[in-house]
């Protein structure tokens, strides 16, 4: 066989391989990019919902230390769709975000329990420097920082 024939056969084989493999590789690459885009969009929606929950906790903490809002003190903010949000966090969030979210709600629960203990006294409020309030505010701030960083990385 001459080198011309070898080159011609190699060219034909290469062309056939490109014709078969090219569309498959393109489809596979496109599918992967679409999946990553859907995942990014789902995470962005999740971080928005986490921040909505964090804002609800922050507003409740504001009421807890404000005597003018005495009527609101006993109303714990409800978390609509809590089970769904928690499940989405388990599925889509990083371990750091999961831990921060659960820490935030645990800290808020401690504030709520403390408030219930003192709420039988008239015009009772928690002080801004109360350790449970400080811990809850810190947890909310951490949650905002983590979600902001996650959005910037997306």
């Amino acid at each position: 066989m001459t080198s011309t024939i070898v080159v011609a056969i190699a060219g034909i084989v290469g062309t056939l391989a490109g014709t078969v493999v090219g569309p498959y590789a393109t489809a596979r690459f496109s599918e992967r990019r679409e999946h990553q885009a859907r995942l990014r969009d789902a995470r962005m929606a999740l971080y928005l919902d986490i921040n909505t929950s964090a804002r609800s906790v922050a507003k409740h903490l504001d009421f807890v230390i404000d005597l003018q809002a005495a009527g609101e003190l006993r109303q714990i903010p409800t978390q609509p769709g809590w089970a769904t949000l928690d499940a989405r966090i388990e599925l889509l969030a990083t371990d750091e975000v999961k831990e921060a979210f659960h820490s935030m709600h645990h800290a808020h629960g401690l504030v709520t329990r403390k408030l219930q203990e003192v709420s039988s006294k008239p015009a009772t409020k928690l002080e801004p420097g109360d350790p449970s309030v400080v811990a809850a505010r810190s947890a909310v701030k951490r949650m905002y920082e983590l979600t902001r960083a996650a959005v910037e990385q997306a």
Side-chain angles (χ1 to χ4, degrees):
M1 264 208 249
T2 66
S3 62
T4 308
I5 294 174
V6 171
V7 170
I9 291 174
I12 291 170
V13 170
T15 302
L16 289 175
T19 303
V20 172
V21 174
Y24 173 77
T26 301
R28 187 83 174 122
F29 180 71
S30 177
E31 182 180 301
R32 184 173 294 155
R33 288 184 68 199
E34 288 173 11
H35 174 73
Q36 289 171 343
R38 284 191 306 273
L39 191 56
R40 183 187 66 244
D41 292 346
R43 284 189 175 128
M44 295 296 266
L46 173 65
Y47 295 137
L48 175 65
D49 291 345
I50 289 172
N51 277 1
T52 301
S53 180
R55 184 64 193 133
S56 177
V57 169
K59 286 177 77 173
H60 186 246
L61 293 173
D62 290 342
F63 288 132
V64 164
I65 61 172
D66 182 7
L67 275 179
Q68 299 300 319
E72 302 286 337
L73 284 176
R74 288 162 186 77
Q75 294 181 6
I76 300 166
T78 59
Q79 300 297 325
W82 163 253
T84 302
L85 178 59
D86 193 42
R88 289 172 52 221
I89 289 170
E90 288 297 320
L91 182 64
L92 296 169
T94 64
D95 289 340
E96 192 174 25
V97 169
K98 287 179 207 175
E99 183 180 318
F101 183 79
H102 293 294
S103 293
M104 178 184 70
H105 278 281
H106 175 73
H108 182 240
L110 294 176
V111 169
T112 301
R113 280 192 288 286
K114 189 166 194 173
L115 180 64
Q116 289 170 345
E117 290 172 6
V118 299
S119 67
S120 60
K121 301 172 189 167
T124 302
K125 64 177 180 133
L126 296 180
E127 294 299 321
D130 184 285
S132 63
V133 173
V134 170
R137 286 203 186 279
S138 177
V140 168
K141 182 180 177 187
R142 177 77 175 139
M143 191 77 268
Y144 285 145
E145 291 168 353
L146 288 174
T147 54
R148 189 175 300 115
V151 166
E152 288 172 1
Q153 291 175 357

